[in-house]
């Protein structure tokens, strides 16, 4: 059976490391450099993929923004057109009401001159008070 004294192993290993620490440090650094070099390459690839993805997302968002602006402009134009139509209809309705009011006044004046009793009866029915001469 092999009998290993770990105290002696650590003593010789400690002496070796204290004497050759610079060489051991250089070897460890070179190993780390080559191990991490592959990581940098994969990181650069993933960064390139992410950059392309971000650029595609930005272009998609810009296209969507342009669509929204066009839809907004269409909505504003439709609103202005509808408001113009409603304003025209309102003005026509006001003109018709004014014309109808003037015609009613002329008719009441004519009726008052021609048939005052009939006008008095209509007023009594419409407003609920009696006509007194």
């Amino acid at each position: 059976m092999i009998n290993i004294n770990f105290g002696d192993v650590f003593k010789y290993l400690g002496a070796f490391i204290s004497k050759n620490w610079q060489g051991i440090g250089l070897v460890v650094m070179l190993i780390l450099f080559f191990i991490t070099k592959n990581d940098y390459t994969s990181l650069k690839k993933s960064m390139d993929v992410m950059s392309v993805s971000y650029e595609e997302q930005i272009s998609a968002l810009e296209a969507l923004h342009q669509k929204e602006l066009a839809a907004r402009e269409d909505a504003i134009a439709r609103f202005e057109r509808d408001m113009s139509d409603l304003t025209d209809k309102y003005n026509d309705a006001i003109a018709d009401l004014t014309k109808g009011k003037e015609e009613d006044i002329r008719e009441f004046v004519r009726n008052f001159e021609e048939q005052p009793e009939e006008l008095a009866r209509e007023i009594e029915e419409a407003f609920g008070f009696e006509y007194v001469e």
Side-chain angles (χ1 to χ4, degrees):
M1 168 157 202
I2 299 176
N3 193 3
I4 298 175
N5 187 357
F6 286 108
D8 289 338
V9 171
F10 286 130
K11 182 175 146 186
Y12 292 127
L13 189 61
F16 179 78
I17 290 174
S18 66
K19 188 190 265 186
N20 298 312
W21 65 272
Q22 293 171 341
I24 294 171
L26 181 64
V27 169
V28 169
M29 289 298 197
L30 286 173
I31 291 171
L32 287 175
F33 173 75
F34 286 114
I35 289 174
T36 58
K37 185 176 181 182
N38 290 336
D39 289 343
Y40 287 129
T41 305
S42 64
L43 283 175
K44 184 167 179 6
K45 286 180 184 177
S46 67
M47 186 175 143
D48 291 341
V49 168
M50 286 179 14
S51 296
V52 169
S53 173
Y54 287 148
E55 288 174 4
E56 290 173 356
Q57 289 176 1
I58 287 172
S59 64
L61 286 173
E62 287 175 351
L64 182 62
H65 181 66
Q66 292 300 324
K67 284 181 182 179
E68 288 177 356
L69 288 178
R72 179 176 170 249
E73 292 298 323
D74 290 343
I76 289 172
R78 188 172 55 247
F79 171 76
E80 289 175 351
R81 186 177 55 247
D82 291 345
M83 284 301 295
S84 175
D85 292 344
L86 287 174
T87 303
D88 292 342
K89 287 179 183 178
Y90 174 77
N91 290 336
D92 291 344
I94 293 294
D96 289 344
L97 285 174
T98 304
K99 184 179 177 183
K101 181 180 175 184
E102 291 172 357
E103 289 175 1
D104 287 345
I105 291 173
R106 279 193 224 119
E107 184 179 336
F108 286 134
V109 169
R110 188 171 1 122
N111 285 344
F112 181 71
E113 292 172 356
E114 294 175 3
Q115 304 169 349
E117 295 84 19
E118 181 68 25
L119 181 62
R121 189 183 60 72
E122 287 180 17
I123 291 174
E124 287 175 355
E125 289 176 3
F127 297 108
F129 51 82
E130 292 183 30
Y131 173 73
V132 178
E133 288 185 35

